[in-house]
Amino acid sequence: MGNYGAFLILFSILILTMGLNCKANDEDRKVYIVYLGAIPDVSYSPSSHHLSILRSVIQGSFVENSLVRSYTRSFNGFVAKLTDQEKQKLASNKEVVSIFPNNIFHTQTTRSWDFIGLKDTSNRKPTVESDTIVGVIDTGIWPESESFNDEDFGPPPKKWKGACKGGQNFTCNNKLIGARYYGTSSDIASAWDDVGHGTHTASTAAGNHVKGASFYGIAKGTARGGVPSARIAAYKVCDAAGCSSEALFAAFDDAIADGVDIITISIGSNAAQDFANDPIAIGAFHAMVKGILTLNSAGNNGPDPGSVSSVAPWMMSVAASSTDRRIVDNVVLDDGMTLIGNSVNSFELNFTLFPLVHGANASTKCSVFSASSCEAGCLDKDLVKGKIVLCDSRDGISEAYNAGAVGLIYANDRAGDVSFIVPLPAVALENDTYTYVLDYIRRSPSPAQATILKSEAKIDDSAPRVASFSSRGPNAITPDILKPDISAPGVDILASYSLIVPPSSFPQDKRRVKFNIESGTSMSCPHVAGAAAYVKTFHPDWSPSAIGSSLMTTAWLMNKTKGLSGEFDYGSGHVNPVQAINPGLVYDAFEADYIKFLCSIGLDDKKVRLISGHKSSCPEGSEPGSPRDLNYPSMAAQVSDGVQVAIKFHRRVKNVGNSNSTYKASIFPKTKFDIKVKPSVLSFKSLNEEKSFDVIVAGTGLPLNSMVSTSLVWSDGIHSVGSPIVLHNVVP
């Protein structure tokens, strides 16, 4: 009995120790994406293979619990919980292409389509447009929005291989033909949009017509996407906390296999990543191989140089610019002076004047500095009751709202080219104007008063201008590839929204709206996606690069904004969809071209395979070439100070205009560099005929943080095929 008792004690200790070890192992594990490349062209069971690989590094029964997800449709890989030691062992497996952590990415918002020329009356191919499917990788979608009404839509295209797996109470229709969601941490485990962002981007790209759309009467008109007859497939990868790498991979895996024609993804990291570690770049590469063009937002970290996060040449990076409609708001002082500021303010004060009080004089518990900025908890409710409070910072919006102020005037610590939705009557004033109001309060013989008007739309004759927030080049990964590629409307964009979240970024805002006004490269990206889908309806057999080329070479030229950036702001220019269906010439590129590009930037066979996913290899016994040799519609080169420059851009163009045509090259404007085009005349005898040429640049290098730009234009008297040429010495 004594021996048996001792055995029980030892056995209990063993079980307890095993349990503790399992718990410790579980806590020590992190989520990694294990990328295996392309799916083998043989009979193959991915999930079984993935478990087999895990068993080689994980002991015991934890293998099944470790496997989070398998990618099995468009490329090969899986997500697993691994310890650092298991990850290192797995990395040495010859079948594993790469392993990287499950990083978090972030989302990057009537009149805009008319502004860029794609009107309801524009030439269209309705039947082909109806067979076009736009895949939206985002925060989900609000299926009950009027923008996704399927009245007069027939059944989904026969090529559609997707499904409606939107979760609880989610219904698709003949407009919104597919939906999926991927393990977000949201309270709603479904494709329902609990952020609003995905509904906004989807309706911008391909939403149906909705008459009388507005944000509380502001920007009223007919809301629609660029291709309102196209179908939409929504892939939810984000919630309010962000977007995980594993979900991004899964969405690309499904979207490619489902049969979408275009992918729009208004998501990115805060900085450019190596291609081999960027799930968006890798997913877009696989999409390109299958003939699908991916449009990606450039990022909202401008105007800093080198802030563009979308830099892979096989997808289009989209900057944000203004339209000729600007949302503004006005403050009227009690002496009748009207001051113009920025906000999307839906509230009416009915021209009633209210006393003004600076935050510094409305607090009994904070320092003067903190109270002036209206930091959290500083404002005294009794001192702001019935008053309009002035705050030195935008951070004061929540505090003014929580304290019960009638309204708010705050100093605009951002550029004054964009308006944001506010949860109370509020307006942002430029610093000089804000200081004027503070002085007005001090010198007023009686308590100063003012009122805040409801926001209104005004004509902006300076449009299009690149938004201050839009991320800029140069390309931090490959400085000889110009990014962003193109600009599109991304300021004050009205589009559909989710009905379960407030329209502003303030959780205490109780309003719910069918349409919202947002700004960001997230809003410009679906504009170019809609434009790309429009081009594809006219040219369904064009490659992704040909569609991208047509959009870039026909873009409107833009005025350079103040400062250095120029083409680093907007790439080839502002999107011009109607002209893009007839570009004359296109710069085509395919998988083999991009493989050569990857080799040219110093990647060896192993690293190239990290991206392509199959046994690609760099040419043996020959020079790797230069990234400038990629057949890209724009041309860029980083040049050092004080050196003699001798650069050659080799390009080939395909004739997609008139069968018998002759194009002549011109360089404009002239620069300090000697730029020649050889040959300077290209004669074509048939459609789809290709011709090659070289652009040769000679001169002296540039001082640090400077750039020179010009344009190459091929013209046959009917078509003008433009390409920016940028020489720079800018270090991101």
Side-chain angles (χ1 to χ4, degrees):
M1 191 68 170
N3 290 338
Y4 182 67
F7 169 76
L8 286 177
I9 292 171
L10 288 171
F11 183 74
S12 298
I13 293 172
L14 177 62
I15 294 298
L16 179 61
T17 304
M18 288 174 63
L20 289 173
N21 284 341
C22 286
K23 184 178 180 182
N25 285 341
D26 195 20
E27 290 175 348
D28 290 341
R29 295 176 187 276
K30 299 175 183 177
V31 177
Y32 290 95
I33 296 162
V34 182
Y35 178 50
L36 304 177
I39 295 175
D41 294 327
V42 294
S43 179
Y44 176 69
S45 175
S47 297
S48 298
H49 185 216
H50 299 164
L51 284 170
S52 174
I53 292 175
L54 282 173
R55 288 191 186 98
S56 68
V57 298
I58 299 176
Q59 301 295 320
S61 61
F62 196 78
V63 173
E64 282 74 13
N65 293 330
S66 173
L67 183 63
V68 176
R69 179 198 304 280
S70 286
Y71 304 120
T72 62
R73 304 187 70 199
S74 301
F75 43 80
N76 195 7
F78 60 90
V79 181
K81 298 176 184 177
L82 303 169
T83 64
D84 290 342
Q85 186 177 17
E86 289 165 351
K87 180 219 171 189
Q88 290 173 4
K89 286 182 180 178
L90 209 55
S92 64
N93 187 317
K94 293 181 179 180
E95 295 182 88
V96 174
V97 177
S98 62
I99 300 178
F100 45 90
N102 182 33
N103 293 322
I104 299 299
F105 290 68
H106 299 280
T107 53
Q108 303 203 289
T109 157
T110 45
R111 172 63 190 150
S112 55
W113 286 110
D114 284 350
F115 176 68
I116 62 177
L118 187 52
K119 302 179 180 181
D120 268 335
T121 55
S122 297
N123 184 20
R124 292 181 183 270
K125 291 182 176 287
T127 301
V128 183
E129 187 173 308
S130 184
D131 283 341
T132 302
I133 305 168
V134 178
V136 183
I137 300 177
D138 213 296
T139 65
I141 197 166
W142 193 258
E144 296 176 355
S145 168
E146 297 167 81
S147 293
F148 312 127
N149 185 307
D150 69 345
E151 185 177 354
D152 297 328
F153 277 76
K158 293 181 180 179
K159 65 184 177 183
W160 174 243
K161 298 180 179 64
C164 187
K165 295 183 177 179
Q168 59 186 27
N169 301 319
F170 192 101
T171 304
C172 297
N173 59 26
N174 286 330
K175 171 67 174 176
L176 174 59
I177 60 173
R180 300 178 187 270
Y181 66 98
Y182 305 92
T184 63
S185 60
S186 170
D187 292 335
I188 303 174
S190 74
W192 286 90
D193 185 2
D194 51 1
V195 177
H197 190 272
T199 302
H200 200 282
T201 58
S203 60
T204 299
N208 211 339
H209 297 83
V210 182
K211 294 180 179 179
S214 73
F215 179 76
Y216 292 98
I218 301 170
K220 189 172 184 178
T222 297
R224 64 177 175 86
V227 279
S229 296
R231 318 302 178 110
I232 295 172
Y235 302 86
K236 181 177 179 177
V237 297
C238 313
D239 58 15
C243 325
S244 70
S245 297
E246 60 139 321
L248 287 166
F249 261 115
F252 271 106
D253 187 32
D254 280 332
I256 295 166
D258 285 346
V260 304
D261 295 291
I262 298 289
I263 292 175
T264 178
I265 177 167
S266 293
I267 296 168
S269 57
N270 290 327
Q273 300 190 43
D274 289 337
F275 302 139
N277 295 316
D278 184 349
I280 297 176
I282 293 173
F285 190 95
H286 285 274
M288 173 274 300
V289 172
K290 297 296 184 181
I292 304 165
L293 176 62
T294 299
L295 295 304
N296 188 208
S297 48
N300 296 333
N301 294 312
D304 294 340
S307 53
V308 58
S309 60
S310 172
V311 296
W314 48 83
M315 63 184 181
M316 289 191 74
S317 173
V318 186
S321 48
S322 61
T323 71
D324 60 352
R325 181 183 67 192
R326 185 180 177 190
I327 308 297
V328 299
D329 201 1
N330 297 311
V331 176
V332 182
L333 303 179
D334 55 11
D335 67 354
M337 177 173 282
T338 299
L339 306 173
I340 300 175
N342 291 92
S343 71
V344 182
N345 167 37
S346 66
F347 302 98
E348 300 264 14
L349 293 181
N350 299 316
F351 301 99
T352 303
L353 294 171
F354 293 92
L356 296 171
V357 61
H358 186 216
N361 300 318
S363 176
T364 57
K365 46 196 170 185
C366 290
S367 68
V368 172
F369 177 83
S370 296
S372 297
S373 297
C374 306
E375 293 181 2
C378 283
L379 296 180
D380 189 312
K381 292 185 178 181
D382 292 333
L383 296 178
V384 300
K385 184 178 181 180
K387 297 177 182 178
I388 295 174
V389 65
L390 277 77
C391 299
D392 294 356
S393 168
R394 184 179 187 272
D395 295 337
I397 296 176
S398 288
E399 178 63 7
Y401 181 92
N402 292 333
V406 168
L408 167 70
I409 299 170
Y410 64 95
N412 196 356
D413 52 3
R414 306 180 181 185
D417 60 346
V418 60
S419 296
F420 296 98
I421 292 178
V422 288
L424 77 166
V427 60
L429 298 179
E430 296 295 325
N431 285 328
D432 290 347
T433 309
Y434 178 79
T435 301
Y436 175 86
V437 179
L438 289 178
D439 291 340
Y440 181 77
I441 294 173
R442 296 188 189 102
R443 68 174 186 266
S444 181
S446 56
Q449 295 183 310
T451 191
I452 300 173
L453 305 185
K454 181 179 178 180
S455 292
E456 60 182 347
K458 287 193 171 183
I459 298 296
D460 181 4
D461 292 328
S462 67
R465 293 174 65 90
V466 174
S468 57
F469 58 76
S470 186
S471 290
R472 266 65 169 179
N475 183 333
I477 303 299
T478 317
D480 288 349
I481 297 294
L482 180 63
K483 291 286 180 173
D485 291 303
I486 201 165
S487 183
V491 177
D492 298 343
I493 304 300
L494 179 77
S496 289
Y497 211 63
S498 169
L499 286 175
I500 58 172
V501 288
S504 69
S505 59
F506 303 93
Q508 56 269 60
D509 189 348
K510 303 301 182 186
R511 294 172 297 173
R512 299 295 182 266
V513 296
K514 292 182 177 180
F515 289 86
N516 201 9
I517 295 172
E518 294 208 325
S519 298
T521 56
S522 283
M523 285 65 248
S524 59
C525 179
H527 276 91
V528 181
Y534 175 71
V535 172
K536 192 171 180 68
T537 63
F538 285 85
H539 306 286
D541 58 338
W542 277 10
S543 68
S545 61
I547 294 173
S549 171
S550 71
L551 292 166
M552 291 169 66
T553 60
T554 59
W556 295 340
L557 296 178
M558 294 182 68
N559 293 325
K560 293 187 179 180
T561 52
K562 293 179 180 179
L564 168 74
S565 301
E567 287 79 4
F568 287 153
D569 291 353
Y570 49 74
S572 295
H574 201 261
V575 67
N576 183 5
V578 173
Q579 190 62 42
I581 66 174
N582 185 23
L585 304 173
V586 293
Y587 294 80
D588 231 341
F590 300 93
E591 181 181 9
D593 298 296
Y594 296 117
I595 296 296
K596 290 178 183 177
F597 160 79
L598 293 171
C599 297
S600 75
I601 61 174
L603 273 63
D604 58 21
D605 289 353
K606 182 178 179 181
K607 290 182 179 179
V608 168
R609 291 167 189 167
L610 300 184
I611 300 156
S612 70
H614 55 69
K615 295 182 179 179
S616 309
S617 60
C618 296
E620 294 183 8
S622 62
E623 292 296 322
S626 164
R628 296 191 293 269
D629 293 333
L630 178 66
N631 201 41
Y632 212 61
S634 59
M635 303 172 205
Q638 187 174 35
V639 296
S640 300
D641 187 12
V643 301
Q644 286 302 115
V645 173
I647 294 171
K648 182 176 75 173
F649 299 97
H650 182 71
R651 293 291 187 271
R652 69 179 186 276
V653 287
K654 179 189 289 185
N655 179 27
V656 295
N658 298 326
S659 57
N660 197 334
S661 54
T662 299
Y663 286 82
K664 296 181 180 179
S666 60
I667 301 291
F668 183 83
K670 300 297 182 185
T671 73
K672 61 176 285 187
F673 290 93
D674 179 34
I675 303 177
K676 291 183 171 61
V677 183
K678 295 184 177 181
S680 60
V681 177
L682 300 176
S683 295
F684 297 92
K685 302 300 181 185
S686 62
L687 283 176
N688 297 319
E689 184 182 355
E690 291 188 303
K691 296 282 186 180
S692 296
F693 64 91
D694 294 325
V695 176
I696 300 168
V697 180
T700 305
L702 297 169
L704 187 64
N705 292 327
S706 63
M707 66 177 287
V708 170
S709 65
T710 185
S711 292
L712 163 65
V713 178
W714 289 102
S715 178
D716 65 348
I718 300 172
H719 306 91
S720 291
V721 187
S723 293
I725 302 173
V726 177
L727 305 167
H728 70 95
N729 188 11
V730 182
V731 179

